[in-house]
Amino acid sequence: KKLPTEAISGMPFPSTKAERFGLIQEELAHEPFKLIVAVIFLNQTTGKAAIPMFRKFIDTYPTIDDIANASVDEIATLIEPLGLQNNRAKILINLARTWLSKPPTKGKRYKTPQYPTKTDSNGIKLSEVLADDDERIGAFEVGHLPGCGPYALDSWRIFCRDKCRDLAAGWNGEGAAEGFQPEWMRVRPTDKELRAYLRWMWLKEGFIWDWRTGETEVASKEELEKA
């Protein structure tokens, strides 16, 4: 079945027998602050340009405190080749300062406007902090962090949320209770690479996933053999 152009990733699709798909988010899944920094670099920028600059940035500012105490001019000069350097520098500094004062915490969810869908956060005030037993869904543990738009939220949910909530030791349900469904199974990303990653993850589980609806169907023997 031919995929729509907007669904096609620019990354090679690995075998389902491979351990990793090849996203930097997989590498940073246990370092959630760095993961969010990486996706800020990747936003509106190719991985070829963003990832080397991300590594250079982390080498220059290895701790959250280092970033929080840096000046906008210092960071902007370093990341200038990426473009949008002043805006990115301000976001990175504010992200670090907010993380230090109010890190993502289990049981504390903050409004995520128009996410996961446009109406999910309706009725939630920006000042509210939702507990896990609150059934409203337009709020997440990183919703208050600067730089956390849909791409960052999708990435964090896929790779970091279960561990943040003490539900699993990793993003694929490692160490979780029997019958646990990882968070990645509920995410419907807008980003092509994340969509491709989830298609691959679902194939590893034996299913074909439709990114437009979030629905799955059992993969045929032929489809699994091709994978």
Side-chain angles (χ1 to χ4, degrees), residues 168-186:
W171 74 86
N172 200 25
E174 296 88 345
E178 186 176 351
F180 175 74
Q181 185 184 61
E183 180 76 10
W184 67 260
M185 292 184 172
R186 293 184 287 278

Side-chain angles (χ1 to χ4, degrees), residues 40-121:
I40 289 172
F41 276 65
L42 284 163
N43 196 23
Q44 300 183 46
T45 308
T46 65
K48 185 177 181 180
I51 292 174
M53 183 59 72
F54 162 75
R55 298 195 191 284
K56 183 177 181 180
F57 177 79
I58 292 300
D59 285 343
T60 306
Y61 302 100
T63 71
I64 302 174
D65 286 281
D66 290 333
I67 300 170
N69 293 322
S71 72
V72 170
D73 287 344
E74 288 171 351
I75 293 179
T77 299
L78 177 67
I79 66 174
E80 184 177 4
L82 291 184
L84 304 173
Q85 62 270 19
N86 289 322
N87 185 51
R88 280 186 166 126
K90 291 174 185 176
I91 290 172
L92 290 165
I93 292 169
N94 288 333
L95 168 65
R97 291 174 179 174
T98 305
W99 192 286
L100 289 171
S101 63
K102 197 185 296 183
T105 303
K106 173 185 176 182
K108 292 184 177 181
R109 297 185 294 126
Y110 304 86
K111 180 175 181 174
T112 50
Q114 299 188 358
Y115 181 90
T117 69
K118 289 184 177 180
T119 60
D120 283 337
S121 63

Side-chain angles (χ1 to χ4, degrees), residues 22-33:
L23 296 181
I24 193 169
Q25 288 95 322
E26 294 169 287
E27 175 187 332
L28 301 173
H30 297 290
E31 299 181 274
F33 177 81

Side-chain angles (χ1 to χ4, degrees), residues 15 101 147 182 221:
S15 164
S101 63
K221 182 180 178 181

Side-chain angles (χ1 to χ4, degrees), residues 1-4 8 199 208-210 212 217 223 226:
K1 186 185 293 185
K2 188 175 181 181
L3 290 170
I8 299 173
R199 284 183 58 233
I208 300 296
W209 174 69
D210 187 333
R212 290 159 294 196
E217 60 182 47
E223 287 168 324
K226 288 179 183 178

